Amino acid sequence: MTTVDQESVRSACRDALGLLKDREAVAERLLRVSAKHSFDPDTELDWDAPFEEGKWFWPPELVSLYDTPLWRRMPEEQRRDLARHEAASLASLGIWFEVILMQLLVRHIYDRPLTGAHVRYALTEIADECRHSKMFARMIEKGGAPAYPVTRFQHNIARVLKTCSTTPGSFAATLLGEEILDWMQRLTFPDERIQPLVRGVTRIHVVEEARHVRYAREELRRQMATCPRWERGLTRLSAGEAARVFSVAFVSPQVYPNVGLDRHEALAQAKSSPHRREVMQTGAKRLTDFLDEVGLMRGVGRRLWQSSGLLA
């Protein structure tokens, strides 16, 4: 069977969501969208404008301590300061994750036809992620809060996960890192309570990440429909463990002492907060529903997702 015939057979595969779309056709469409809707944050955003007095750096409802007893005792200024530090923590997490994603994308295209649209779009996405990482770094610096790197353990466990990741596991991890933050940012950029610079950063990220999510979803569907059984099983485990690492790393515990709060008390209240649990599960729901439909939420993998707090 020729390579063309093999691709035709793979393109005719179906999964729980129906007939899989042609890989090259999806990439060609995403390339056209990228040509029309890509941004240069260095020129698109006004980095020299001063911050506006009394505005937030992150919606208060998305701050980890929102509606806890500790939150209710905090003065408004301290609440806004915590939101500023949590925005810096999320941006730091975003940079870390996007560096991982770029490595996974390069590895994915290494054995594929390098002039095809699928590879050209992957290279386009890598360029997008480079700009996003620089944009997040610049936002952290402008906001005045420190960068918040993940712990040494999280850094090294991610090194293991990305090294051992299957191809479908790489795309599942991509969606994990993109879709929850995307849900939060869709609430942020239209919110007039938020600093204009932060709204601009989240708007750019939402627009460009929409096509990244489409690319990853279509490829994950294809991989799960065509990969061997052992690879599907390993992917369920690696994706579940990635969810556990990601959920813990979402907000650095160091943000709390940096705004004058007791670290242990704040961590305990954030962990036990029904509101925070609802926020995280709501932010993950579109993703977990999709992963369930493509066969990733089964057995031990599903239990790992539940222990992460992202799945009820």
Side-chain angles (χ1 to χ4, degrees):
M1 184 179 288
T2 67
T3 302
V4 173
D5 290 337
Q6 290 172 348
E7 182 61 30
S8 297
V9 169
R10 286 194 289 268
S11 295
C13 287
R14 301 180 67 91
D15 65 1
L17 296 172
L19 187 68
L20 297 181
K21 297 177 178 63
D22 178 74
R23 176 186 276 149
E24 289 292 286
V26 170
E28 288 284 7
R29 189 186 74 81
L30 293 175
L31 284 166
R32 290 193 297 271
V33 174
S34 297
K36 294 179 181 178
H37 301 291
S38 291
F39 304 94
D40 180 356
D42 288 338
T43 58
E44 184 77 19
L45 302 173
D46 186 355
W47 295 98
D48 295 325
F51 289 120
E52 296 185 13
E53 187 70 26
K55 290 206 168 181
W56 295 74
F57 282 75
W58 200 240
E61 298 82 4
L62 300 182
V63 175
S64 62
L65 289 177
Y66 181 80
D67 203 30
T68 63
L70 185 55
W71 177 268
R72 291 190 284 272
R73 297 200 307 266
M74 293 165 62
E76 188 76 2
E77 184 177 354
Q78 190 179 31
R79 292 174 180 176
R80 286 200 301 269
D81 200 29
L82 177 59
R84 180 171 65 93
H85 281 260
E86 290 201 10
S89 178
L90 281 167
S92 301
L93 182 72
I95 297 170
W96 172 69
F97 182 79
E98 287 179 343
V99 169
I100 294 172
L101 170 57
M102 287 186 275
Q103 294 176 66
L104 294 175
L105 281 172
V106 169
R107 191 172 74 183
H108 171 64
I109 64 176
Y110 186 73
D111 291 319
R112 303 196 176 277
L114 298 180
T115 57
H118 184 74
V119 168
R120 285 190 288 120
Y121 179 74
L123 294 171
T124 301
E125 182 169 330
I126 291 167
D128 290 344
E129 300 295 15
C130 285
R131 292 195 305 275
H132 295 170
S133 295
K134 292 188 293 181
M135 175 175 70
F136 289 158
R138 195 169 179 181
M139 187 185 77
I140 294 169
E141 185 178 51
K142 173 75 174 178
Y148 286 96
V150 297
T151 66
R152 183 182 296 273
F153 172 77
Q154 291 161 349
H155 184 81
N156 287 329
I157 195 67
R159 189 193 306 278
V160 173
L161 287 170
K162 69 184 176 66
T163 301
C164 300
S165 177
T166 62
T167 301
S170 297
F171 283 100
T174 296
L175 291 169
L176 169 65
E178 290 180 340
E179 293 214 30
I180 300 173
L181 187 57
D182 178 77
W183 176 80
M184 292 184 168
Q185 290 180 331
R186 287 178 184 273
L187 298 177
T188 302
F189 80 79
D191 190 336
E192 294 185 357
R193 298 173 299 172
I194 309 302
Q195 294 287 350
L197 178 64
V198 177
R199 293 176 66 190
V201 166
T202 54
R203 178 181 61 85
I204 287 173
H205 199 246
V206 163
V207 170
E208 296 191 340
E209 287 295 325
R211 53 185 183 258
H212 300 178
V213 167
R214 172 66 186 277
Y215 181 77
R217 280 183 170 234
E218 293 297 335
E219 190 58 26
L220 178 58
R221 288 181 61 197
R222 181 177 302 277
Q223 293 291 333
M224 287 297 290
T226 58
C227 71
R229 183 177 178 180
W230 69 265
E231 193 169 20
R232 288 195 295 274
L234 182 57
T235 298
R236 292 183 188 112
L237 291 175
S238 65
E241 185 59 28
R244 295 208 315 160
V245 172
F246 185 79
S247 64
V248 172
F250 210 77
V251 174
S252 170
Q254 189 58 36
V255 301
Y256 304 124
N258 282 358
V259 299
L261 298 173
D262 180 83
R263 176 186 179 123
H264 298 292
E265 181 185 15
L267 273 174
Q269 292 200 19
K271 185 175 181 179
S272 63
S273 167
H275 175 82
R276 184 61 176 175
R277 189 179 310 113
E278 182 181 1
V279 164
M280 297 301 289
Q281 290 180 0
T282 301
K285 189 175 190 313
R286 183 170 176 267
L287 170 62
T288 53
D289 285 351
F290 172 75
L291 295 182
D292 195 20
E293 288 174 325
V294 300
L296 267 172
M297 291 294 194
R298 298 178 186 173
V300 176
R302 186 179 190 87
R303 292 194 289 275
L304 287 170
W305 274 89
Q306 290 170 329
S307 69
S308 76
L310 299 176
L311 180 68

